[in-house]
């Protein structure tokens, strides 16, 4: 699966951009504030219907514009199109192959992206919810039944919390609990199955990166492993009523990492933590490829400032070995061009929200018989 074309309108500082993408390797470079991360954010938004840096639409829609529009053409055995439009008033239109969709999950399912950015390196310290989201990304693609179970659990936890807050009778809450217990067990099994595939893959990739540290990875289902959820809910009922929330259940699940029995975040250097996180993301991508027989899209933002040269090349080597599409950013073209040199790649230079030019990798021009392409964004043509 790969994105062949991306159109961006009124997204952050990009008035209009049209990116013809290479099926494997793409490098976007330009000064700080030029719009590189915004391009990756637009692709991420197409897939997940949210940004990785702002929760509020008003921050993402271009100042003074009423909406932003994103349009992508991608190839997955056949050519497909995806579109996403968001108005300032919150109205949204999402389309797959020109047909309006009611749920973002249709686009997420069709168009998977895996993001590597400096913020992803906070995963170990960022709380169970973030780590669980991470696990759920993989489980969503690994098991077709996952989304439905996840939505049911989410709804039931919300309903139980509302009932606790409003001090509904115990027998009413028990009816919700019975259903919650059943769905929670299914969700736990789906997560556990995915985790059992993920953990050895992470170890395998980590051993290529470094043999300096041994990680024990575990999955916590959200409640005590030696008791059924029904017993845990009954035991903590008074506390749940007091706090007005369900304190135990699959919404409290976590991915945990230890080194010699201690929390990994207290032991690993910052650099080692980054490697671990890269290994987890690569492992997720590899499992996706195995399952779907196609690669996902890897968005790699600004990592030359986060990883030293050796680890950066380990990461890119691994990315190049996947069957996915890589779209990476850096400030100076030279930061990553050596890593891209052996491959056919597309280069994009961004300046003040405008694409200045795109180039096929110079080294491969002769082989491709292709001439250098230069185009201007609509903003420059005016
Ligand atoms: N809603 C918006 N409308 C217009 N410009 C914006 C908006 N939000 C952010 N910007 C500007 O867009 C640019 C975003 O740049 P960014 O994509 O982070 O650049 P880079 O990753 O190249 O450093 C910044 O210059 C920022 O001031
Ligand atoms: Mg950036």
């Amino acid at each position: 699966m790969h994105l062949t074309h991306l159109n961006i309108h009124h997204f952050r500082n990009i008035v209009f951009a049209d990116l013809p993408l290479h099926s494997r390797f793409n490098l976007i470079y330009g000064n700080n504030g030029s719009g590189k991360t915004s391009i990756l954010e637009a692709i991420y938004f197409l897939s997940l219907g949210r940004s990785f840096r702002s929760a509020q639409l008003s921050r993402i829609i271009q100042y003074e514009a009423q909406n932003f529009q994103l349009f992508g053409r991608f190839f997955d055995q056949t050519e497909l199109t995806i579109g996403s439009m968001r108005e300032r008033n919150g109205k949204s239109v999402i389309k797959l192959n020109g047909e309006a969709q009611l749920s973002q999950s249709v686009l997420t399912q069709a168009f998977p992206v895996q993001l590597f950015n400096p913020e992803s390196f906070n995963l170990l310290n960022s709380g169970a919810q973030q780590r669980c989201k991470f696990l759920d990304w993989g489980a969503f693609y690994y098991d077709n039944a996952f989304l439905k179970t996840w939505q049911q659990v989410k709804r039931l936890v919300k309903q139980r919390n509302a009932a606790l807050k409003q001090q509904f009778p115990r027998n009413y809450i028990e009816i919700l609990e019975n259903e919650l217990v059943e769905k929670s067990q299914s969700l736990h099994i789906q997560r556990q199955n995915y985790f059992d595939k993920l953990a050895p893959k992470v170890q395998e990739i980590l051993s290529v990166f470094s043999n300096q540290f041994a990680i024990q990875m575990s999955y916590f289902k959200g409640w005590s492993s030696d008791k059924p959820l029904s017993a845990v809910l009954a035991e903590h009922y008074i506390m749940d009523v007091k706090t007005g929330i369900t304190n135990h259940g699959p919404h409290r699940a976590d991915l945990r990492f230890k080194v010699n029995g201690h929390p990994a975040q207290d032991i690993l250097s910052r650099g080692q933590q980054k490697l671990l996180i890269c290994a987890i993301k690569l492992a997720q991508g590899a499992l996706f490829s195995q399952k779907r027989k196609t690669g996902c899209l890897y968005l790699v933002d600004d990592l030359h400032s986060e990883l030293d040269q050796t680890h950066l090349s380990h990461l890119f080597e691994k990315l190049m070995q996947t069957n996915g599409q890589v779209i990476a950013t850096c400030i100076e073209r030279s930061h990553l061009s050596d890593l891209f040199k052996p491959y056919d790649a597309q280069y994009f230079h961004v300046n003040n929200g405008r694409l200045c030019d795109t180039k096929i990798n110079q080294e491969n021009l002769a082989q491709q018989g292709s001439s250098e392409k230069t185009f201007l964004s609509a903003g420059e043509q005016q």
Side-chain angles (χ1 to χ4, degrees):
M1 198 228 57
H2 62 271
L3 198 57
T4 54
H5 242 93
L6 174 69
N7 262 229
I8 304 176
H9 299 257
H10 302 301
F11 191 95
R12 300 274 188 194
N13 65 339
I14 302 169
V15 179
F16 172 76
D18 177 28
L19 288 87
L21 291 145
H22 188 280
S23 61
R24 294 300 316 282
F25 309 121
N26 298 273
L27 179 60
I28 302 169
Y29 64 100
N31 289 341
N32 281 323
S34 57
K36 306 179 296 293
T37 302
S38 303
I39 295 173
L40 300 193
E41 191 182 16
I43 300 171
Y44 187 92
F45 205 102
L46 268 173
S47 172
L48 288 146
R50 60 185 154 82
S51 158
F52 52 80
R53 50 179 181 176
S54 301
Q56 290 177 24
L57 275 177
S58 59
R59 310 267 159 85
I60 306 170
I61 299 171
Q62 187 147 80
Y63 308 137
E64 293 167 22
Q66 278 317 302
N67 59 38
F68 69 70
Q69 292 174 39
L70 308 170
F71 179 77
R73 240 185 290 144
F74 70 103
F75 193 83
D76 186 10
Q77 292 169 350
T78 169
E79 193 174 77
L80 299 154
T81 61
I82 39 178
S84 186
M85 193 268 285
R86 286 288 196 286
E87 301 266 2
R88 276 198 187 275
N89 62 14
K91 188 184 158 218
S92 73
V93 179
I94 44 177
K95 289 189 174 179
L96 179 66
N97 288 332
E99 282 182 30
Q101 304 294 324
L102 294 176
S103 160
Q104 177 69 36
S105 64
V106 178
L107 264 61
T108 313
Q109 192 60 254
F111 183 65
V113 300
Q114 184 65 268
L115 172 73
F116 294 74
N117 69 351
E119 288 70 33
S120 26
F121 295 138
N122 297 329
L123 188 75
L124 297 190
N125 291 304
S126 63
Q129 213 180 357
Q130 280 309 104
R131 287 188 293 273
C132 190
K133 250 190 201 171
F134 201 74
L135 185 69
D136 288 349
W137 182 95
F140 169 76
Y141 290 107
Y142 207 75
D143 182 343
N144 288 338
F146 180 82
L147 177 65
K148 190 163 175 221
T149 322
W150 182 88
Q151 285 170 331
Q152 286 168 328
V153 165
K154 194 174 169 202
R155 172 181 56 80
L156 287 161
V157 170
K158 211 169 149 188
Q159 285 177 343
R160 186 175 184 269
N161 288 349
L164 288 166
K165 278 197 190 93
Q166 292 169 54
Q167 305 199 332
F168 277 21
R170 177 84 178 103
N171 59 355
Y172 173 81
I173 295 180
E174 268 171 8
I175 296 170
L176 289 175
E177 276 172 14
N178 291 341
E179 206 186 338
L180 177 61
V181 165
E182 186 202 324
K183 301 297 177 205
S184 298
Q185 189 58 23
S186 309
L187 189 64
H188 158 58
I189 290 168
Q190 288 163 343
R191 281 177 175 156
Q192 180 77 59
N193 286 342
Y194 178 69
F195 176 80
D196 291 344
K197 300 270 184 243
L198 181 70
K201 203 79 194 163
V202 173
Q203 299 291 2
E204 184 191 316
I205 295 172
L206 209 49
S207 67
V208 176
F209 282 174
S210 168
N211 52 11
Q212 289 171 350
F213 55 101
I215 295 282
Q216 296 93 48
M217 216 175 137
S218 63
Y219 153 67
F220 170 64
K221 63 181 174 178
W223 69 95
S224 164
S225 59
D226 51 3
K227 286 182 194 160
L229 181 59
S230 52
V232 175
L233 291 177
E235 209 175 289
H236 294 89
Y237 182 71
I238 309 250
M239 206 244 287
D240 286 359
V241 172
K242 247 188 222 164
T243 52
I245 52 169
T246 304
N247 287 286
H248 300 267
H251 56 298
R252 292 290 162 92
D254 195 3
L255 261 186
R256 291 177 177 169
F257 303 91
K258 290 196 167 172
V259 179
N260 293 328
H262 303 289
Q265 57 271 40
D266 295 350
I267 304 286
L268 297 182
S269 72
R270 184 87 184 126
Q272 289 171 327
Q273 291 189 30
K274 289 176 188 175
L275 290 187
L276 171 61
I277 287 150
C278 288
I280 305 169
K281 291 192 168 247
L282 286 164
Q284 286 198 312
L287 289 181
F288 173 87
S289 303
Q290 253 175 31
K291 185 84 184 172
R292 294 286 194 87
K293 311 278 179 267
T294 181
C296 61
L297 221 134
Y298 296 95
L299 306 176
V300 188
D301 196 21
D302 246 357
L303 287 202
H304 57 280
S305 55
E306 291 283 331
L307 296 173
D308 61 42
Q309 203 54 37
T310 312
H311 291 126
L312 195 64
S313 39
H314 275 328
L315 170 65
F316 272 91
E317 257 167 44
K318 274 272 164 206
L319 283 172
M320 304 309 195
Q321 285 164 11
T322 69
N323 55 349
Q325 183 181 30
V326 179
I327 307 179
T329 73
C330 56
I331 296 175
E332 297 288 341
R333 188 184 150 122
S334 60
H335 287 146
L336 292 181
S337 56
D338 276 356
L339 299 172
F340 276 65
K341 226 179 219 166
Y343 307 95
D344 285 346
Q346 188 86 19
Y347 287 67
F348 299 92
H349 181 205
V350 192
N351 189 11
N352 285 328
R354 290 170 179 194
L355 283 170
C356 305
D357 60 349
T358 65
K359 291 188 184 83
I360 300 277
N361 197 354
Q362 291 288 331
E363 287 69 25
N364 293 300
L365 275 181
Q367 284 159 283
Q368 293 222 347
S370 150
S371 61
E372 186 173 301
K373 276 186 274 180
T374 302
F375 68 90
L376 296 172
S377 70
E380 285 167 311
Q381 286 163 356
Q382 283 158 12

